Amino acid sequence: MSTNILQNKSVFISRKIGNTSIFNKLVTEYDISLNATSLINIVQIPFSYTPKTDWIFFTSKNAINFFFAQNPEISDFVKYGVISDSSADELKLHKKEAHFIGKGTDLLKIAKSFRETLGNASVLFPQAMDSMQTIQKQLAFSNTTYNLYTYKTIIRTDINVPYADILVFTSPSNVTAYYNQYKPDNRQIIVGMGNSTKYRLSEFGIKSVLVPAEFSEYGLYKCITDISPKEI
């Protein structure tokens, strides 16, 4: 896509970004006005017991970090599953290697693939309190599963988001926070991270949603820069 299609457009993304984030290229290379702000607060939930399982599966970076932050007792033989390559990279920061990595953003397909890998083994899901539990709902009855709440999301009510031409939502909770305050506007292009976020957008009456090819900042970035002239 050529630079002039996005030039002078504005983008909101519901996530704080760092100095090395690829989203900064939207400003430097596409002359876009960028607003990167999370619309939720995340709070750790303490836990004192870690169920012993064959596998531990993480559906987000937050699940990884809030789990290991509490120094859980883990078997040296446990295997790890993650939702995406970016989560696998996050897991490496805790000196752990992923034995299963989900591909794409279709959670049902990822769940089916993990179910085939899992066999009859047991699995622990560190997760948010408001998790939709899409992966575990697709597992076999022969699997013993445990849900361990390690954090919760709190919808912010103090948000002030100026109008943006492109809205990028990174989770269902951020969708809820935004549309609790603002009405849908058909002039805006909407990007949603995965099918769960797309479904939450549909609950607010938003049917036209662009979904990236992978769960990563790069996937979201490509989704924005590949927007066609007719969508603008």
Side-chain angles (χ1 to χ4, degrees):
M1 162 176 187
S2 60
T3 301
N4 61 355
I5 295 174
L6 285 177
Q7 191 170 19
N8 298 323
K9 297 298 181 182
S10 54
V11 173
F12 168 77
I13 178 171
S14 63
R15 172 186 291 174
K16 293 181 180 179
I17 62 172
N19 294 332
T20 60
S21 170
I22 192 172
F23 282 111
N24 292 309
K25 293 177 68 175
L26 294 174
V27 179
T28 59
E29 296 187 12
Y30 289 85
D31 196 25
I32 278 177
S33 172
L34 179 64
N35 179 6
T37 306
S38 176
L39 306 181
I40 60 176
N41 292 320
I42 300 176
V43 179
Q44 179 174 286
I45 297 177
F47 62 88
S48 58
Y49 172 69
T50 308
K52 301 299 181 286
T53 55
D54 303 306
W55 283 78
I56 300 176
F57 192 98
F58 299 102
T59 57
S60 70
K61 293 181 182 180
N62 283 326
I64 293 171
N65 292 324
F66 282 112
F67 178 71
F68 287 108
Q70 301 193 49
N71 299 313
E73 293 185 6
I74 308 169
S75 166
D76 292 335
F77 303 102
V78 72
K79 294 181 178 181
Y80 296 95
V82 292
I83 201 73
S84 65
D85 288 320
S86 60
S87 289
D89 291 338
E90 195 75 16
L91 189 62
K92 288 180 181 178
L93 299 179
H94 297 276
K95 304 187 186 317
K96 307 294 182 182
E97 291 289 334
H99 299 84
F100 173 89
I101 302 174
K103 300 301 180 184
T105 59
D106 189 324
L107 290 180
L108 294 180
K109 289 183 178 179
I110 293 173
K112 181 179 178 180
S113 179
F114 180 57
R115 183 176 64 199
E116 293 172 353
T117 301
L118 189 62
N120 293 322
S122 57
V123 56
L124 172 68
F125 289 90
Q127 62 185 31
M129 182 175 286
D130 61 348
S131 170
M132 297 177 72
Q133 301 181 12
T134 303
I135 302 297
Q136 47 267 61
K137 288 178 180 177
Q138 302 304 314
L139 299 185
F141 288 112
S142 58
N143 297 122
T144 301
T145 63
Y146 298 90
N147 296 324
L148 179 64
Y149 299 125
T150 59
Y151 70 101
K152 63 181 177 179
T153 56
I154 300 174
I155 304 296
R156 289 178 53 192
T157 58
D158 60 341
I159 65 173
N160 180 18
V161 182
Y163 176 87
D165 301 299
I166 303 169
L167 299 176
V168 182
F169 294 106
T170 54
S171 72
S173 298
N174 277 287
V175 170
T176 300
Y178 183 88
Y179 288 107
N180 275 352
Q181 181 157 330
Y182 301 102
K183 294 181 179 179
D185 189 327
N186 59 18
R187 296 174 298 169
Q188 295 173 306
I189 295 172
I190 311 298
V191 178
M193 177 70 96
N195 289 338
S196 296
T197 302
K198 183 179 180 180
Y199 179 76
R200 183 63 57 83
L201 284 160
S202 73
E203 293 181 326
F204 285 94
I206 299 162
K207 305 301 182 183
S208 180
V209 179
L210 302 177
V211 178
E214 60 181 69
F215 284 112
S216 68
E217 280 200 349
Y218 176 76
L220 289 171
Y221 172 82
K222 283 290 291 178
C223 204
I224 295 169
T225 56
D226 287 346
I227 290 172
S228 68
K230 66 179 181 179
E231 291 169 319
I232 290 288

